[in-house]
Amino acid sequence: MGDHHHGPAKGLSRWLFTTNHKDIGTMYLWFSFSMFMLGGTFAMIIRAELFQPGLQLVEPAFFNQMTTLHGLIMVFGAIMPSFVGLANWLIPMMIGAPDMALPRMNNWSFWILPPTFLLLASTLFMEGGAPAAGWTFYAPLSTTYAAPSVTFFIFSVHVLGLSSIMGSINIIATVMNMRAPGMTYMKMPLFVWTWLITAFLLVAVMPVLAGAVTMMLMDVHFGTSFFSAAGGGDPVLFQHVFWFFGHPEVYIIILPAFGVVSQIIPAFSRKPLFGYDSMVYATASIAFLSFIVWAHHMYTVGMPVAGELFFMYATMLIAVPTGVKVFNWVTTMWRGSLSFETPMLFCIGFLVLFTIGGFTGLMLAIAPSDFQYHDTYFVVAHFHYVMVAGAVFSMSAAIYFWLPKWCGRMYNETMGKTHFWISFIGFNLAFFPQHFVGLAGMPRRIPDYALQFTDFNMMSSIGAFIYGLSQVLFLYNVIATIVAGKPVSDPKVWDGAEGLEWTIPTPAPYHTFETPPKIDPAHAHS
Amino acid sequence: MCFEAKRLLKLALGPVLMLVSAVVLAYGPEVNQVNMAPGVTAVGERIYDLHMWILGVCTVIGVGVFGVMFYSIINHRKSKGAVASHFHESTKVEIAWTVIPFLILLVMAVPSTSTLLEVYNNDDAEMDILVTGFQWKWKYEYIDESGENVSFFSNLRTPQSEIHNADPKGEYYLLEVDEPMVIPVNTKVRFLITGNDVIHSWWVPDLAVKRDAIPGFINEAWTKVDTVGVYRGQCAELCGKDHGFMPIVVNVVSKEDYSQWLSGKQAEAAAIKELMAQTFTLDQQVERGKAVYERSCLACHGANGEGGVGKAIAGSAIVTGDINKHLDVGINGVPGTAMQAFGGQLNDVDMAAVITYQRNAFGNNMGDMVQPIDVYNHKKG
């Protein structure tokens, strides 16, 4: 046994060759945070240009590269890998497994990411510039009319798809095979459930995205006409294929966030999660519905009215399971014993802002109204409410919640709360006015705008700068905690936290659950 | 700045100005407008009502949910000595909050469906306009049963100097065009919308019409405007570099004014046809060509042919080289560059004039010229 209790290797090789789920989780988290900063920098450039009407800082062609890379890097480089990092750290600890089921593949899934994003970012310095057709890269703007760098972009998408698929297979294999005896499916923490379902979504749709970019590659280099009507193809085909991937993709981003919130709200309510079973079923329903609503992103492409009606009804249905989730969270808080440490603040922020994003989502589902909302800042506001206030807020909550367990040191609560309030104010100042300008008629993805939209854009830019700065505070707080935070050693860092990860020592040892834990049936799922 | 002053005035004299603006009938976004405009069509009003109704339902639900949540936050806090209950399940409650939202959605679906069917009701149009999106301008072609179509391009009129902050910005900054679409009031107009290069989207908020302009496909949309006025919109689908610079202006006029305008355009087209057969002198060509240059070339090639986005005209190898090659670049553009094919955008008279002008301006003293018939023959191959 003695040999198995070794610690991590020393130096760079520890990180390069590691198969340890905690090390890999850490690398994913740091990588995604650095991508978050890069994508955030692009956002700051966008908001600086939009601070006032007229072109001040950048030219329109570069502006389009910024919006495109901002979206791509935030979705694929920041949010998705951050939740994979969280999954790596937490899933084995939550189900009582010693590590992920496929540790070598785990290493590989991570290590192909940094070169891929380096390649993607390097397109900025290529002739003709980076891809500039938006993160949705509609053909033929992204094919026939694209800069040569599109080929590098296509390759990047292939590789990061590979990474996602490998990561997902690993999660599925781990959850299905490595649960401690007695940890039945309906006893798993909700975070594990949401990730299991997310992993299935990823395995199902990443190949579809790979198909879309492969067809692009063929059109660009091999003379095919998948997306060109002149050669017998169809530009709208691209949108169908893209959104068949793209709509499940947005749930891939938000479902693990639901999982995080479902762990943290009960902990600080000191009360079990309300309606565990219905939470699982709601998550599965959302995942199923995500496959049959894709064309609600395309109400204006000229679909037959029967198609529009189908996609409208199906999309409206999503409000039901999503509503169930929100009601369950609120009811979990009801008659609890609430306290408001930083993770809880971020979860409440999530709950309020995600619900607002859900309401605008329902409005956008209504096809006739969408003719007025589509491709305006109203949509930009909507998806930042669900992506930033949804995914990123829950990610911040997760870091504050589990960081003490990971490193055995407590973060500075005052600084954490300050981070929350600055984020919350900055975020709303940045994105709430975007509802207004969108409804008033400002299209998205424009580098310059009519004078009537000036004041709200100025507010929006100021809010964005505040939100951006608050993330620097976050970074500082995290580093300060790891380096010099107040040591904690209680296995249960939070008095209300439930689950296997709170039964192991703090900080979590390099290897945990080498012998499976006993599951106390009374303490099933947190 | 002029605009700032106007805005201050507008804040102070809001109600008065609303009356005034109703008289001058200029529509478009209001300063700091926070909501969707009801617009000036029956469909637009239905969409607006639907929007407000759904927003209202969401607000009521939101107040309920957040109300319960904040009640908990205030009253069930540990610091007040709240002790946690342990309930965590209730099938009845779960069924209730699954079924009730579903019923609310059913109620929402009814007006949504009927409004959508109305949006899609393209029947009985009294006239058709073919709308084509180009990088980065719109082309409007009035379909005429006798084959005498009227067509023209609609370009951004805001000068580069305003965009680059050299001059103060006008009231309709980025929402103004050189030649607006003109349609008659109280007439069902059908738009046939397509794209020439990439996907664009034709959107006028006050008309509640937004439809993608897709190359190789023709989408239908329609409007019936009940108020005379000028309505402004923009391209809504990212279409490349100047996506933000291809506005739409629709001038809705009385039926009499419309027929007058249409006959004017037809006469203009007839006059061009007449001119096509003529031969011009160098001076005539240069005079006409200068105007065309300023309209169509200057933005990229500079006021003195010094270049910019496009290459310099002054001393250019193409402009001072083979005249047929020069004409070919004008008509077919240079694929893969910002130089577009102008053959479909300029008529043969204007094309001949502007090629001639370029060869005899900015110090290019070629002395040769192109006649409309040469352009015609070149296009025929």
Side-chain angles (χ1 to χ4, degrees), chain A residues 55 64 270 275 278 300-301 303 308 313 316 328 331 335 337-338 371-375 445 448 452 455, chain B residues 7 32 51 76 78 82 84-85 88 94 97 105 113 120 163 165 173 203 205 210 212 219 236-237 240:
Chain A
L55 296 176
N64 290 342
R270 294 168 183 80
S278 70
T300 63
V301 297
M303 267 185 293
E308 300 256 327
Y313 299 148
M316 290 168 78
N328 280 343
T331 312
R335 287 176 48 210
S337 173
L338 303 175
F371 283 104
Q372 293 284 51
Y373 308 138
H374 179 76
D375 266 334
R445 293 165 166 168
D448 193 6
Q452 289 84 346
D455 292 353
Chain B
R7 203 171 54 181
N32 294 343
H51 156 76
H76 302 151
K78 194 186 172 201
S85 323
H88 58 87
E94 298 279 359
W97 65 39
L105 290 176
T113 304
Y120 267 76
I163 294 170
N165 312 307
Y173 177 71
W203 179 35
K210 182 187 284 144
D212 293 357
N219 276 329
E237 181 64 61

Side-chain angles (χ1 to χ4, degrees), chain A residues 53-56 59-61 64 132-134 138-141 145 229 234-236 239 269-275 277-278 300-303 305 308-309 312-313 316-317 320 324 326-328 330-331 333-338 340 348 351-352 355 359 362-363 366-369 371-376 436 439-441 443-453 455-456, chain B residues 3 7 29-36 47 50-51 54-55 58 61-62 65-66 68-69 71-73 76-79 82-90 94 97-98 101-102 105 108-109 112-113 115-117 119-120 135 163-165 169-171 173-175 197-199 203 205 208 210-212 214-217 219 234-245:
Chain A
L55 296 176
Q56 285 85 21
E59 285 301 308
N64 290 342
Y138 282 5
L141 187 61
Y145 292 81
D234 180 351
V236 180
Q239 298 181 28
S269 303
R270 294 168 183 80
K271 190 163 157 280
L273 181 69
F274 185 82
D277 294 9
S278 70
T300 63
V301 297
M303 267 185 293
V305 70
E308 300 256 327
L309 287 173
M312 175 168 80
Y313 299 148
M316 290 168 78
L317 275 184
V320 175
V324 166
V326 171
F327 300 144
N328 280 343
V330 170
T331 312
M333 289 164 69
W334 183 254
R335 287 176 48 210
S337 173
L338 303 175
F340 304 95
I348 294 172
L351 202 47
V352 173
T355 304
F359 287 142
L362 179 60
M363 294 168 76
I366 308 294
S369 315
F371 283 104
Q372 293 284 51
Y373 308 138
H374 179 76
D375 266 334
T376 68
F436 300 150
L439 291 174
R444 65 192 281 206
R445 293 165 166 168
I446 55 175
D448 193 6
Y449 50 84
L451 302 178
Q452 289 84 346
F453 308 132
D455 292 353
F456 288 134
Chain B
F3 178 73
R7 203 171 54 181
E30 292 289 316
V31 173
N32 294 343
Q33 180 182 329
V34 295
N35 197 5
M36 185 190 286
I47 289 176
L50 190 60
H51 156 76
I54 306 246
L55 179 63
C58 287
I61 297 172
V65 172
F66 296 151
V68 171
M69 193 183 82
Y71 183 87
S72 280
I73 289 176
H76 302 151
R77 47 172 72 208
K78 194 186 172 201
S79 59
V83 179
S85 323
H86 286 280
F87 67 89
H88 58 87
E89 241 166 1
S90 164
E94 298 279 359
W97 65 39
T98 306
F102 184 77
L105 290 176
M108 284 179 172
S112 305
T113 304
T115 307
L116 187 68
L117 292 176
V119 169
Y120 267 76
Q135 282 183 322
I163 294 170
H164 285 95
N165 312 307
K169 302 183 195 331
E171 184 177 4
Y173 177 71
L174 297 188
L175 296 177
D197 30 51
V198 299
I199 300 175
W203 179 35
K210 182 187 284 144
R211 204 53 60 95
D212 293 357
I214 301 167
F217 292 83
N219 276 329
Q234 285 180 269
C235 176
E237 181 64 61
L238 177 61
C239 57
K241 176 172 78 74
D242 285 343
H243 162 56
F245 304 94

Side-chain angles (χ1 to χ4, degrees), chain B residues 288-318:
Chain B
R288 187 179 191 100
K290 186 169 191 296
V292 178
Y293 182 87
E294 282 163 5
R295 209 168 62 229
S296 301
C297 316
L298 185 144
C300 295
H301 294 289
N304 300 307
E306 72 276 20
V309 174
K311 292 187 171 163
I313 299 293
S316 147
I318 290 170

